[in-house]
Amino acid sequence: MTGVVVLGTFLRRCILRALEQVRDVLAPLLITGETGTGKEVLAKALHEKLRPGEFVHFDCAGLPEPLFESELFGYKKGSFTGAYSDKRGLVELADGGTLFLDEIGDLPLHVQSKLLRVLQDGRFRRIGEVKERKSSFFLIAATNSDLCSLVEVGKFRKDLYFRLKGRRVDLPPLRETPGDILPLLFKFLSEMEKSPEITAEALGILLSYSWPGNVRELRHFASILPGEGELNSRNFPYDFLEGGGRYGDSRGHLTLKKRLEAIEKSMIEDMLRKGATIKEISRELEKSEVQTRRILKKLGIDPKAYRKG
Ligand SMILES: Nc1ncnc2c1ncn2[C@@H]1O[C@H](COP(=O)(O)OP(=O)(O)OP(=O)(O)O)[C@@H](O)[C@H]1O
Ligand SMILES: [Mg+2]
């Protein structure tokens, strides 16, 4: 299974926020983000927390156009050549559960209308059938294209776009949340039962690389690392070091200072979550308690938020 649990600290915050948004009403949720940022991991995590029924995944990318409607809405026997028996569509299978439409920007316009109808009143028809059927599901749609521009060029229905964009979570690329790099890497390494030693040199490379494939790429990187020993520049693929996003890369929007702050913040938050006191944190930082409180304030961390009870 992918992802199992989501631990990048930023993603964890996204889940909590998304849960707040969807707890009461099961209106659709839109998840946007570049490839590999964890859109599917987030969708599954939300489904597991919120819905008792099935998690039905449908990938809209690359499917031949005539198949969309029959896959999603099903058909009646004999309604077209090849329809040898009745077939339930995914919308029906998702009743009581979650329908995850991946790459929703690729959904053809006529299927968008039918989807909008079932979202509005929970009703739809199988192809070739007169009788209306009902299905009630939580729709999570994901995309890494800009739906708004698809609306402008007439490829995406405006009304469906408005219905989706009301609840939206944008997953940032890993290069913008560098504080997640180490926690994720350590989690992947421990799942793979590896424990290489991350040297300062390796840390510098990890933090300055732009990770165009995001968390998926980080996971793959963990898989090619040795199980033990010191990690240094020899362990990095060539494009990490050359043109793959070192300091000056236009894709890496954050300065080194901001990256280091993000790491510091994520490590302190991790300590607080594990119950560390300000005194313990100040010892680790080799600062006084007053200085430590000042650092926390500067990083936007509220220690009270971590107190139990
Ligand atoms: N927060 C996370 N915790 C653990 N693993 C994660 C996390 N986010 C992503 N992954 C890993 O990265 C891989 C890619 O995640 P996912 O498939 O959810 O990305 P995606 O945004 O749907 O990508 P795409 O747009 O290419 O479909 C997953 O297989 C999972 O292993
Ligand atoms: Mg995906």
Side-chain angles (χ1 to χ4, degrees), residues 83-103:
Y84 299 119
S85 56
D86 288 348
K87 181 179 147 96
R88 294 168 79 202
L90 299 178
V91 156
E92 231 171 306
L93 292 178
D95 189 18
T98 302
L99 178 64
F100 177 50
L101 288 187
D102 215 347
E103 284 313 321

Side-chain angles (χ1 to χ4, degrees), residues 36 39-40 57 100 102-103 142 216:
K39 297 184 290 296
E40 187 173 339
H57 182 177
F100 177 50
D102 215 347
E103 284 313 321
R216 182 180 290 117

Side-chain angles (χ1 to χ4, degrees), residues 42-59:
L42 174 60
K44 281 193 180 139
L46 288 173
H47 165 76
E48 273 158 27
K49 287 206 186 329
L50 292 167
R51 304 292 282 166
E54 292 279 313
F55 180 84
V56 180
H57 182 177
F58 181 66
D59 193 351

Side-chain angles (χ1 to χ4, degrees), residues 1-12 15 31-44 57 59 100 102-103 142-144 171 180 184 187-188 191 213-220:
M1 203 190 118
T2 50
V4 192
V5 171
V6 179
L7 21 69
T9 51
F10 188 88
L11 198 63
R12 188 153 38 202
I15 292 198
I31 306 176
T32 63
E34 286 179 11
T35 181
T37 45
K39 297 184 290 296
E40 187 173 339
V41 172
L42 174 60
K44 281 193 180 139
H57 182 177
D59 193 351
F100 177 50
D102 215 347
E103 284 313 321
T143 180
N144 64 39
L171 291 181
D180 288 357
L184 282 165
K187 171 74 173 149
F188 294 147
E191 277 171 16
N214 296 297
V215 188
R216 182 180 290 117
E217 186 181 6
L218 183 64
R219 187 182 196 112
H220 175 69

